[in-house]
Amino acid sequence: MSQSLRAAAASPIKFGTDGWRGVIAADFTIERVARVAPLAAEALAQEFGASTGSRTILVGYDRRFMAEDFARVAAEAIQAIGYRVKLSDCYAPTPVFSWIAHHEQALGAIVLTASHNPGRYLGLKVKGAFGGSVSPEVTQKIETMLAAETVPAEVEHPEPIESFNPWESGYCEALRQFVDLAAIRAAIADGKLAVFVDAMHGASAGGLSKVLDVAVQELNTNRDPLFEGGAPEPLPKYTTRSIAQIRDHQQAHPDQLAVGLVFDGDCDRIAAIDGSGEFLTSQILIPILIQHLAVVRGQTGEVVKTVSGSDLMPKVAELYQLPVHETAVGYKYIADRMLSVPVLIGGEESGGVGYGNHIPERDALLSALYVLEAVVKAGKSLNELYGDLQTKTNFFNAYDRIDLALASMAARDRLLGQLQTNPPQTIAGQAVTDCQTTDGYKFRLTSGDWLMVRFSGTEPVLRLYCEAVTLDRVHEILEWAQQWAEAAAA
């Protein structure tokens, strides 16, 4: 066994920003799932039992290797200690299970998924009765019970596990109410709009067609637990074929508006591809959606962004006199805000976007509907909408991010020590004017450009984020940051 696999097998079960994830057969095993699932159920009961009066736990899963088998193990372990268990009869997006948990007033949902991680990973997300990820306090309860080797007592005659189809839960109909579905359908039927979906071999496959009740052109819908050797993460490097196909379609049909929608493995993250072949991250989509919701839909509320979010977001919010609140990276912080104040939209740079009029959960299918509605109502491409916003705000900065694999935890510790004791004072030839440590280290430069350095919560990876006046400058700063990090970690 390799050193990395030995470390995984020996590592304690820890919950990150959204669940517990591990390498299949090393850290993430049948035995461990059977151990964690009933404790998660107990924690949900302690947190939401009194308010819901429920004893029901939903169990769902995505399309990863053996995900349905792990889900069955989790369901049986929860059933054995006396809970009513409803086990999905098919894969579905994580937000669907969150919505059902809230809609049916269940204690919550356990979802077997590793979201955007590479194929060797699987994970377990815990969703609360309110329809979103549980708080760190709840996951801490689970970790405390694990450490104490708590074993819930089994009951003699548990209720049979119930099977359910998540797509027939009312979720699709609920999403249809948020947009002018007739206008979107008419644009598709009239040949004005061509919709493509890159499912990235994940749980979104078939989902948008179900919600629209209209066939769209789906790419990468087959189940591939190895994700073509990459990861089901909506990034340009994993979508080159889709970008080419959508661009070719637009060139062949210049009178149509071609929109590509890219979903991650469990469909809680979104990106888009314009007909020109341009890849649009949520750094661009969120500002477009802020304008659409405020102007076309006449909605109001707070705009919530994470510290890694583009400066374009507050600039667009200012246009429409919307308040802005900034959080650490992780959608759970946005969800917490949604539970306390009226929120219009909340989103993170990695693609998770949610809405105050929905559950406090990022939902890529709802985002897709809003993106399509924005294009149809404006009669403009996504790139045109983005260009309009740049002109209105006089903000033309570019953005990119790279992930740097670290050799070991010792290398990580050395790098962290350098950041804590001797952070850089100049970056790529520019002086640092401010260093924000809300989450990681965000360095503001004299030009207004910024670089953020942050460690992943689920992988041995350093994330480097940058927004600067041109894409060339972004890449120059990221190249500097990569060289600095490698030297500091050595």
Side-chain angles (χ1 to χ4, degrees):
M1 184 185 290
S2 70
Q3 183 177 353
S4 61
L5 288 183
R6 285 194 191 95
S11 63
I13 294 170
K14 294 290 184 183
F15 284 77
T17 55
D18 193 11
W20 161 52
R21 297 175 203 178
V23 176
I24 298 170
D27 181 52
F28 198 90
T29 65
I30 291 290
E31 292 80 8
R32 283 185 143 194
V33 169
R35 179 91 176 88
V36 171
L39 297 181
E42 293 281 78
L44 286 172
Q46 292 172 23
E47 187 74 10
F48 304 109
S51 61
T52 63
S54 176
R55 294 284 293 172
T56 300
I57 303 283
L58 308 174
V59 179
Y61 55 91
D62 66 7
R63 300 177 86 189
R64 287 176 179 269
F65 179 67
M66 290 185 67
E68 60 270 52
D69 300 292
F70 280 102
R72 168 62 65 174
V73 168
E76 290 175 349
I78 296 169
Q79 173 203 30
I81 61 171
Y83 290 92
R84 178 189 178 216
V85 180
K86 297 181 68 175
L87 174 62
S88 179
D89 64 7
C90 64
Y91 66 85
T94 294
V96 177
F97 298 112
S98 295
W99 183 88
I100 299 171
H102 175 64
H103 180 68
E104 296 189 356
Q105 296 184 307
L107 287 172
I110 306 296
V111 187
L112 279 297
T113 176
S115 189
H116 63 284
N117 291 99
R120 67 182 181 277
Y121 286 89
L122 191 51
L124 185 149
K125 292 184 178 183
V126 184
K127 302 296 181 176
F130 59 91
S133 296
V134 294
S135 68
E137 289 75 22
V138 175
T139 55
Q140 181 60 54
K141 284 182 182 179
I142 301 171
E143 290 179 4
T144 299
M145 287 188 282
L146 283 165
E149 299 185 354
T150 302
V151 179
E154 296 188 0
V155 300
E156 289 188 12
H157 303 290
E159 294 182 48
I161 293 174
E162 301 174 37
S163 176
F164 75 101
N165 185 324
W167 295 107
E168 297 175 357
S169 63
Y171 168 84
C172 293
E173 184 58 33
L175 259 58
R176 294 176 188 133
Q177 307 308 310
F178 289 109
V179 296
D180 186 345
L181 199 68
I184 298 172
R185 287 172 171 169
I188 295 172
D190 295 343
K192 297 177 181 178
L193 176 68
V195 180
F196 293 82
V197 169
D198 186 344
M200 303 197 85
H201 309 287
S204 69
L208 189 59
S209 293
K210 288 183 174 71
V211 175
L212 289 173
D213 201 20
V214 171
V216 299
Q217 302 180 68
E218 295 210 22
L219 315 172
N220 301 315
T221 59
N222 62 301
R223 185 178 188 179
D224 177 6
L226 297 179
F227 306 108
E228 301 182 32
E233 186 169 11
L235 296 173
K237 65 181 178 179
Y238 298 130
T239 55
T240 53
R241 290 201 316 273
S242 297
I243 289 171
Q245 188 167 341
I246 293 165
R247 183 178 59 238
D248 291 348
H249 177 91
Q250 183 72 85
Q251 290 173 350
H253 303 84
D255 295 332
Q256 284 188 334
L257 288 170
V259 177
L261 300 159
V262 187
F263 303 122
D264 76 330
D266 72 333
C267 196
D268 63 4
R269 298 186 180 194
I270 187 174
I273 301 168
D274 185 73
S276 64
E278 291 296 315
F279 189 91
L280 292 84
T281 69
S282 56
Q283 300 279 45
I284 296 172
L285 293 181
I286 291 171
I288 290 173
L289 291 169
I290 293 170
Q291 176 176 262
H292 175 69
L293 295 173
V295 176
V296 177
R297 294 226 139 253
Q299 298 175 2
T300 188
E302 194 172 77
V303 172
V304 186
K305 66 179 287 290
T306 62
V307 66
S308 58
S310 170
D311 288 345
L312 182 57
M313 297 177 196
K315 289 184 179 295
V316 173
E318 185 180 2
L319 280 180
Y320 304 110
Q321 299 180 314
L322 299 170
V324 177
H325 180 79
E326 188 170 87
T327 74
V329 176
Y331 196 82
K332 64 185 178 183
Y333 302 109
I334 297 172
D336 286 346
R337 191 69 179 174
M338 285 183 169
L339 294 171
S340 60
V341 301
V343 168
L344 173 67
I345 184 172
E348 50 189 356
E349 63 81 28
S350 58
V353 188
Y355 307 88
N357 59 357
H358 189 38
I359 54 175
E361 174 77 294
R362 49 194 173 187
D363 191 331
L365 286 177
L366 179 54
S367 291
L369 292 180
Y370 278 137
V371 167
L372 294 178
E373 185 181 53
V375 168
V376 169
K377 294 293 185 180
K380 295 181 178 182
S381 70
L382 287 170
N383 253 357
E384 288 173 323
L385 291 172
Y386 177 44
D388 289 348
L389 284 179
Q390 289 178 302
T391 301
K392 288 177 182 177
T393 59
N394 194 32
F395 185 82
F396 297 89
N397 281 18
Y399 166 84
D400 203 358
R401 179 190 112 190
I402 60 174
D403 293 347
L404 181 64
L406 300 175
S408 64
M409 290 305 293
R412 178 191 186 280
D413 292 342
R414 285 193 293 272
L415 182 54
L416 181 58
Q418 181 82 354
L419 285 165
Q420 291 172 337
T421 60
N422 188 28
Q425 300 302 307
T426 61
I427 291 175
Q430 293 185 45
V432 174
T433 60
D434 180 66
C435 179
Q436 184 179 355
T437 56
T438 301
D439 189 349
Y441 295 78
K442 185 174 183 178
F443 300 97
R444 289 273 180 185
L445 310 182
T446 52
S447 60
D449 303 341
W450 58 263
L451 168 72
M452 182 169 163
V453 180
R454 177 179 172 270
F455 297 97
S456 167
T458 58
E459 302 173 80
V461 167
L462 181 69
R463 304 202 189 283
L464 303 171
Y465 315 75
C466 180
E467 187 168 69
V469 67
T470 66
L471 191 57
D472 286 343
R473 182 59 179 162
V474 167
H475 292 157
E476 180 184 348
I477 293 172
L478 288 175
E479 183 178 356
W480 179 95
Q482 182 170 348
Q483 293 174 356
W484 171 85
E486 289 171 346

